[in-house]
mmCIF file of all heavy atoms in Angstrom:
data_model
loop_
_atom_site.group_PDB
_atom_site.id
_atom_site.type_symbol
_atom_site.label_atom_id
_atom_site.label_comp_id
_atom_site.label_asym_id
_atom_site.label_seq_id
_atom_site.Cartn_x
_atom_site.Cartn_y
_atom_site.Cartn_z
ATOM 1 N N VAL A 120 106.867 106.960 79.799
ATOM 2 C CA VAL A 120 106.640 106.654 78.380
ATOM 3 C C VAL A 120 107.784 107.189 77.532
ATOM 4 O O VAL A 120 108.292 106.514 76.626
ATOM 5 C CB VAL A 120 105.292 107.233 77.926
ATOM 6 C CG1 VAL A 120 105.121 107.083 76.412
ATOM 7 C CG2 VAL A 120 104.144 106.533 78.640
ATOM 8 N N GLY A 121 108.234 108.413 77.824
ATOM 9 C CA GLY A 121 109.347 108.978 77.066
ATOM 10 C C GLY A 121 110.635 108.191 77.248
ATOM 11 O O GLY A 121 111.340 107.898 76.278
ATOM 12 N N LYS A 122 110.927 107.820 78.501
ATOM 13 C CA LYS A 122 112.148 107.047 78.753
ATOM 14 C C LYS A 122 112.060 105.643 78.148
ATOM 15 O O LYS A 122 113.054 105.121 77.625
ATOM 16 C CB LYS A 122 112.407 106.956 80.251
ATOM 17 C CG LYS A 122 112.803 108.282 80.896
ATOM 18 C CD LYS A 122 113.083 108.093 82.380
ATOM 19 C CE LYS A 122 113.531 109.388 83.036
ATOM 20 N NZ LYS A 122 113.806 109.215 84.484
ATOM 21 N N LYS A 123 110.890 105.049 78.199
ATOM 22 C CA LYS A 123 110.737 103.698 77.668
ATOM 23 C C LYS A 123 110.894 103.688 76.153
ATOM 24 O O LYS A 123 111.530 102.782 75.579
ATOM 25 C CB LYS A 123 109.363 103.142 78.044
ATOM 26 C CG LYS A 123 109.219 101.653 77.805
ATOM 27 C CD LYS A 123 110.023 100.856 78.816
ATOM 28 C CE LYS A 123 109.724 99.382 78.737
ATOM 29 N NZ LYS A 123 110.365 98.619 79.820
ATOM 30 N N LEU A 124 110.328 104.673 75.474
ATOM 31 C CA LEU A 124 110.502 104.750 74.027
ATOM 32 C C LEU A 124 111.960 104.978 73.663
ATOM 33 O O LEU A 124 112.465 104.408 72.688
ATOM 34 C CB LEU A 124 109.624 105.878 73.465
ATOM 35 C CG LEU A 124 108.107 105.643 73.525
ATOM 36 C CD1 LEU A 124 107.364 106.871 73.011
ATOM 37 C CD2 LEU A 124 107.706 104.411 72.733
ATOM 38 N N GLY A 125 112.653 105.811 74.464
ATOM 39 C CA GLY A 125 114.085 105.990 74.231
ATOM 40 C C GLY A 125 114.864 104.718 74.457
ATOM 41 O O GLY A 125 115.822 104.421 73.718
ATOM 42 N N LEU A 126 114.452 103.923 75.449
ATOM 43 C CA LEU A 126 115.128 102.655 75.703
ATOM 44 C C LEU A 126 114.878 101.657 74.583
ATOM 45 O O LEU A 126 115.777 100.888 74.205
ATOM 46 C CB LEU A 126 114.641 102.073 77.028
ATOM 47 C CG LEU A 126 115.212 100.709 77.437
ATOM 48 C CD1 LEU A 126 116.731 100.791 77.604
ATOM 49 C CD2 LEU A 126 114.560 100.217 78.711
ATOM 50 N N LEU A 127 113.683 101.668 74.001
ATOM 51 C CA LEU A 127 113.373 100.754 72.907
ATOM 52 C C LEU A 127 114.145 101.104 71.635
ATOM 53 O O LEU A 127 114.531 100.224 70.867
ATOM 54 C CB LEU A 127 111.871 100.759 72.623
ATOM 55 C CG LEU A 127 110.978 100.142 73.703
ATOM 56 C CD1 LEU A 127 109.514 100.414 73.398
ATOM 57 C CD2 LEU A 127 111.230 98.647 73.822
ATOM 58 N N VAL A 128 114.373 102.371 71.416
ATOM 59 C CA VAL A 128 115.086 102.793 70.203
ATOM 60 C C VAL A 128 116.601 102.742 70.410
ATOM 61 O O VAL A 128 117.348 102.396 69.480
ATOM 62 C CB VAL A 128 114.642 104.213 69.806
ATOM 63 C CG1 VAL A 128 115.385 104.686 68.550
ATOM 64 C CG2 VAL A 128 113.138 104.232 69.535
ATOM 65 N N PHE A 129 117.076 103.058 71.614
ATOM 66 C CA PHE A 129 118.512 103.061 71.910
ATOM 67 C C PHE A 129 118.783 102.182 73.132
ATOM 68 O O PHE A 129 119.048 102.702 74.235
ATOM 69 C CB PHE A 129 119.022 104.481 72.160
ATOM 70 C CG PHE A 129 118.782 105.426 71.024
ATOM 71 C CD1 PHE A 129 117.700 106.295 71.054
ATOM 72 C CD2 PHE A 129 119.626 105.450 69.922
ATOM 73 C CE1 PHE A 129 117.469 107.162 70.007
ATOM 74 C CE2 PHE A 129 119.406 106.317 68.873
ATOM 75 C CZ PHE A 129 118.321 107.181 68.905
ATOM 76 N N PRO A 130 118.705 100.872 72.996
ATOM 77 C CA PRO A 130 118.946 100.004 74.161
ATOM 78 C C PRO A 130 120.416 99.727 74.422
ATOM 79 O O PRO A 130 120.748 99.005 75.368
ATOM 80 C CB PRO A 130 118.227 98.713 73.762
ATOM 81 C CG PRO A 130 118.364 98.667 72.284
ATOM 82 C CD PRO A 130 118.345 100.088 71.801
ATOM 83 N N TYR A 131 121.310 100.291 73.625
ATOM 84 C CA TYR A 131 122.730 99.937 73.713
ATOM 85 C C TYR A 131 123.419 100.607 74.895
ATOM 86 O O TYR A 131 124.418 100.098 75.410
ATOM 87 C CB TYR A 131 123.443 100.329 72.415
ATOM 88 C CG TYR A 131 122.639 100.014 71.175
ATOM 89 C CD1 TYR A 131 121.971 101.012 70.483
ATOM 90 C CD2 TYR A 131 122.540 98.704 70.710
ATOM 91 C CE1 TYR A 131 121.227 100.722 69.347
ATOM 92 C CE2 TYR A 131 121.797 98.407 69.571
ATOM 93 C CZ TYR A 131 121.132 99.428 68.905
ATOM 94 O OH TYR A 131 120.384 99.128 67.788
ATOM 95 N N LEU A 132 122.881 101.758 75.336
ATOM 96 C CA LEU A 132 123.532 102.521 76.388
ATOM 97 C C LEU A 132 123.010 102.159 77.774
ATOM 98 O O LEU A 132 123.579 102.604 78.785
ATOM 99 C CB LEU A 132 123.341 104.022 76.158
ATOM 100 C CG LEU A 132 123.834 104.550 74.789
ATOM 101 C CD1 LEU A 132 123.538 106.037 74.668
ATOM 102 C CD2 LEU A 132 125.315 104.266 74.611
ATOM 103 N N HIS A 133 121.969 101.373 77.857
ATOM 104 C CA HIS A 133 121.384 101.026 79.152
ATOM 105 C C HIS A 133 122.198 99.909 79.792
ATOM 106 O O HIS A 133 122.574 98.942 79.130
ATOM 107 C CB HIS A 133 119.922 100.595 78.956
ATOM 108 C CG HIS A 133 119.150 100.526 80.241
ATOM 109 N ND1 HIS A 133 118.935 101.616 81.054
ATOM 110 C CD2 HIS A 133 118.537 99.478 80.854
ATOM 111 C CE1 HIS A 133 118.209 101.259 82.095
ATOM 112 N NE2 HIS A 133 117.959 99.956 81.999
ATOM 113 N N GLN A 134 122.442 100.041 81.095
ATOM 114 C CA GLN A 134 123.292 99.083 81.800
ATOM 115 C C GLN A 134 122.499 98.180 82.747
ATOM 116 O O GLN A 134 122.619 96.959 82.692
ATOM 117 C CB GLN A 134 124.374 99.840 82.588
ATOM 118 C CG GLN A 134 125.281 100.701 81.723
ATOM 119 C CD GLN A 134 126.094 99.879 80.740
ATOM 120 O OE1 GLN A 134 126.432 98.711 81.001
ATOM 121 N NE2 GLN A 134 126.428 100.463 79.593
ATOM 122 N N TRP A 136 119.413 96.253 83.870
ATOM 123 C CA TRP A 136 118.183 95.734 83.276
ATOM 124 C C TRP A 136 117.323 94.982 84.289
ATOM 125 O O TRP A 136 116.292 94.398 83.913
ATOM 126 C CB TRP A 136 118.511 94.801 82.110
ATOM 127 C CG TRP A 136 119.113 95.510 80.943
ATOM 128 C CD1 TRP A 136 120.423 95.818 80.754
ATOM 129 C CD2 TRP A 136 118.408 96.018 79.806
ATOM 130 N NE1 TRP A 136 120.598 96.482 79.567
ATOM 131 C CE2 TRP A 136 119.375 96.622 78.954
ATOM 132 C CE3 TRP A 136 117.072 96.028 79.411
ATOM 133 C CZ2 TRP A 136 119.047 97.206 77.740
ATOM 134 C CZ3 TRP A 136 116.735 96.611 78.204
ATOM 135 C CH2 TRP A 136 117.705 97.197 77.384
ATOM 136 N N ILE A 152 111.966 101.859 84.872
ATOM 137 C CA ILE A 152 111.930 101.826 83.416
ATOM 138 C C ILE A 152 112.015 100.401 82.882
ATOM 139 O O ILE A 152 111.591 100.119 81.750
ATOM 140 C CB ILE A 152 113.066 102.695 82.839
ATOM 141 C CG1 ILE A 152 112.867 102.927 81.348
ATOM 142 C CG2 ILE A 152 114.416 102.069 83.119
ATOM 143 C CD1 ILE A 152 113.884 103.854 80.734
ATOM 144 N N ASN A 153 112.523 99.472 83.674
ATOM 145 C CA ASN A 153 112.645 98.086 83.227
ATOM 146 C C ASN A 153 111.366 97.276 83.392
ATOM 147 O O ASN A 153 111.281 96.156 82.891
ATOM 148 C CB ASN A 153 113.773 97.380 83.998
ATOM 149 C CG ASN A 153 115.127 98.005 83.733
ATOM 150 O OD1 ASN A 153 115.434 98.418 82.616
ATOM 151 N ND2 ASN A 153 115.967 98.083 84.759
ATOM 152 N N ALA A 255 117.420 97.139 67.275
ATOM 153 C CA ALA A 255 117.156 97.668 68.612
ATOM 154 C C ALA A 255 116.232 96.732 69.403
ATOM 155 O O ALA A 255 116.484 96.446 70.579
ATOM 156 C CB ALA A 255 116.543 99.064 68.518
ATOM 157 N N PHE A 259 117.075 94.666 72.821
ATOM 158 C CA PHE A 259 116.204 94.883 73.972
ATOM 159 C C PHE A 259 115.652 93.561 74.499
ATOM 160 O O PHE A 259 115.647 93.319 75.708
ATOM 161 C CB PHE A 259 115.065 95.821 73.580
ATOM 162 C CG PHE A 259 114.013 95.972 74.642
ATOM 163 C CD1 PHE A 259 114.195 96.854 75.701
ATOM 164 C CD2 PHE A 259 112.831 95.226 74.592
ATOM 165 C CE1 PHE A 259 113.237 96.982 76.686
ATOM 166 C CE2 PHE A 259 111.870 95.362 75.571
ATOM 167 C CZ PHE A 259 112.070 96.231 76.627
ATOM 168 N N THR A 263 116.551 91.779 78.120
ATOM 169 C CA THR A 263 115.438 91.713 79.060
ATOM 170 C C THR A 263 115.107 90.282 79.438
ATOM 171 O O THR A 263 114.930 89.958 80.621
ATOM 172 C CB THR A 263 114.197 92.393 78.455
ATOM 173 O OG1 THR A 263 114.506 93.768 78.169
ATOM 174 C CG2 THR A 263 113.042 92.350 79.433
#
Side-chain angles (χ1 to χ4, degrees):
V120 173
K122 291 182 178 180
K123 193 72 171 187
L124 292 177
L126 178 61
L127 291 171
V128 179
F129 303 99
Y131 318 103
L132 304 178
H133 193 61
Q134 300 297 330
W136 292 85
I152 193 175
N153 297 322
F259 173 82
T263 301

